[in-house]
Amino acid sequence: MAKSAPSIMKCENMFCAGCGHSLFDRLLGEVLTEMDIVGESISCSDIGCNHMYQYSMAVDTVVPPHGKMGAAMAAMKKVRPDKYIFSIAGDGGAYAIGLGETLSAATRNDNVTFFVMNNTVYAMTGGQMAPTTMPGQYSSSSIKGRTAEEHGRTFDVVKLMQNLEIAYLARCTVTNAAEMAKTKRCIKKALEKQRDGKGFSLVEVLVPCPTNWGLTPPEAMRHIENDLVPYLPLGEYIDR
Amino acid sequence: MQSETMEKVKVNEERCKGCYLCIASCRKGAIRLSGRTNKRGIVTVAVDQALCVQCGVCYTMCPDLVFEIL
């Protein structure tokens, strides 16, 4: 079966070698193309590595202040209810700096879609520790490894959101072809929830950051499978 | 029936950044280092068209859209 890049991926991306953001971006590009909603979509970009999708993907984009995607998307949906409004964010923007806005959008059950790339570090600024950093993980600001006593426990926002009345909540990853297929289904389902007016949907994607983890890309994929997934289980948690 | 030498996968070597997730993912062992470098200075990959079964895993796992399954 012939497979080639979706037409909206207009040029080479700017991500590092083996970065998971670019794998996700292509899946999203495929879904937008298959649903034929490229012209009906407005994306909301966070600040951070994830924002570089806008240079390689031909989709309208709004860039609000760092972390304020929840508030910005709510406003965008009110102004343009006929459009698909989604955000591609990082764990730093959505779960740390913009946690208030993210949770507010979820508690209001705004009819928008959040895609959060969780790579467990603040990647663009040099791999500093984030609230999502794993126990024992080395980062440029936790050089002896993260400990619960000194730095607090890893923040699991998907677990936190499981009791909220939202339309769709899922966690997936990009470590192999089977997981990529599942992730694509989750992306499509989240956008379909918005089309059907069901409300807020959030898809967290565990993505590798070989550059800041200090691993080769295949090692980074194995790190997700062996160390992240047991702590942050994959699956669909809410599907209303 | 396709000939074993028929091109099954097109490789855009200039896009390759050298993550080699394709080599790690290919179940048939059909992808190997080409020995050539692209403009980035990255040693690119090549597909053994005889071993390739066009499963599309390389396309799926490549972050940089190097592969096109024909």
Side-chain angles (χ1 to χ4, degrees):
Chain A
M1 188 180 159
K3 284 183 181 175
S4 60
S7 57
I8 67 165
M9 310 306 285
K10 59 186 179 183
C11 64
E12 293 178 38
N13 64 60
M14 296 166 68
F15 297 105
C16 303
C19 177
H21 284 87
S22 38
L23 287 167
F24 170 83
D25 291 351
R26 197 198 63 236
L27 289 179
L28 180 63
E30 288 175 359
V31 171
L32 294 178
T33 308
E34 286 169 17
M35 292 176 73
D36 197 18
I37 57 170
V38 176
E40 305 302 314
S41 301
I42 306 175
S43 67
C44 183
S45 168
D46 188 20
I47 314 286
C49 286
N50 53 79
H51 88 281
M52 290 189 286
Y53 77 87
Q54 55 188 294
Y55 304 125
S56 55
M57 193 190 291
V59 61
D60 290 340
T61 305
V62 171
V63 185
H66 194 8
K68 312 305 175 196
M69 296 80 64
M73 284 200 294
M76 288 157 69
K77 193 68 180 178
K78 281 185 170 56
V79 175
R80 296 303 301 266
D82 55 320
K83 298 285 185 187
Y84 288 84
I85 308 292
F86 62 84
S87 173
I88 303 176
D91 56 310
Y95 292 170
I97 297 140
L99 179 66
E101 280 70 19
T102 306
L103 285 179
S104 297
T107 50
R108 288 193 303 263
N109 201 21
D110 289 329
N111 191 23
V112 297
T113 305
F114 238 108
F115 298 116
V116 181
M117 308 297 107
N118 185 356
N119 55 15
T120 72
V121 286
Y122 291 115
M124 180 163 266
T125 50
Q128 291 84 1
M129 183 174 64
T132 46
T133 299
M134 302 301 292
Q137 182 177 340
Y138 299 98
S139 71
S140 59
S141 59
S142 59
I143 54 174
K144 292 181 180 172
R146 179 178 185 151
T147 60
E149 296 74 28
E150 193 176 356
H151 309 107
R153 297 179 63 187
T154 302
F155 192 22
D156 185 347
V157 175
V158 169
K159 198 172 183 180
L160 180 75
M161 282 192 171
Q162 284 174 29
N163 293 324
L164 298 179
E165 292 194 4
I166 58 177
Y168 188 66
L169 179 66
R171 181 187 280 131
C172 37
T173 186
V174 293
T175 51
N176 55 50
E179 294 297 341
M180 288 284 280
K182 286 180 195 168
T183 304
K184 188 173 174 180
R185 280 200 292 275
C186 291
I187 295 169
K188 194 167 187 180
K189 210 178 229 185
L191 289 168
E192 284 171 350
K193 296 290 179 192
Q194 185 175 159
R195 179 192 65 196
D196 300 339
K198 303 268 185 172
F200 186 90
S201 50
L202 185 142
V203 178
E204 179 182 308
V205 187
L206 301 179
V207 293
C209 181
T211 305
N212 286 306
W213 291 355
L215 301 172
T216 65
E219 284 171 352
M221 292 298 192
R222 285 196 291 277
H223 174 63
I224 292 179
E225 288 171 350
N226 299 335
D227 301 325
L228 265 65
V229 170
Y231 200 90
L232 304 168
L234 308 176
E236 291 177 303
Y237 293 92
I238 297 176
D239 186 359
R240 293 196 174 98
Chain B
M1 188 178 164
Q2 286 182 325
S3 157
E4 284 194 349
T5 54
M6 184 178 173
E7 191 177 31
K8 298 170 186 169
V9 179
K10 198 172 164 186
V11 183
N12 186 345
E13 293 187 18
E14 287 307 317
R15 281 179 169 250
C16 183
K17 291 180 187 161
C19 71
Y20 306 133
L21 286 171
C22 51
I23 296 176
S25 305
C26 182
R27 303 280 174 89
K28 293 288 177 182
I31 305 177
R32 55 183 165 71
L33 295 178
S34 68
R36 295 182 292 272
T37 53
N38 61 15
K39 284 178 188 167
R40 300 173 198 265
I42 301 292
V43 178
T44 60
V45 295
V47 176
D48 186 333
Q49 304 290 344
L51 290 176
C52 177
V53 293
Q54 286 184 307
C55 65
V57 165
C58 52
Y59 165 82
T60 305
M61 293 309 296
C62 177
D64 300 300
L65 300 166
V66 168
F67 300 96
E68 185 181 346
I69 312 297
L70 301 172

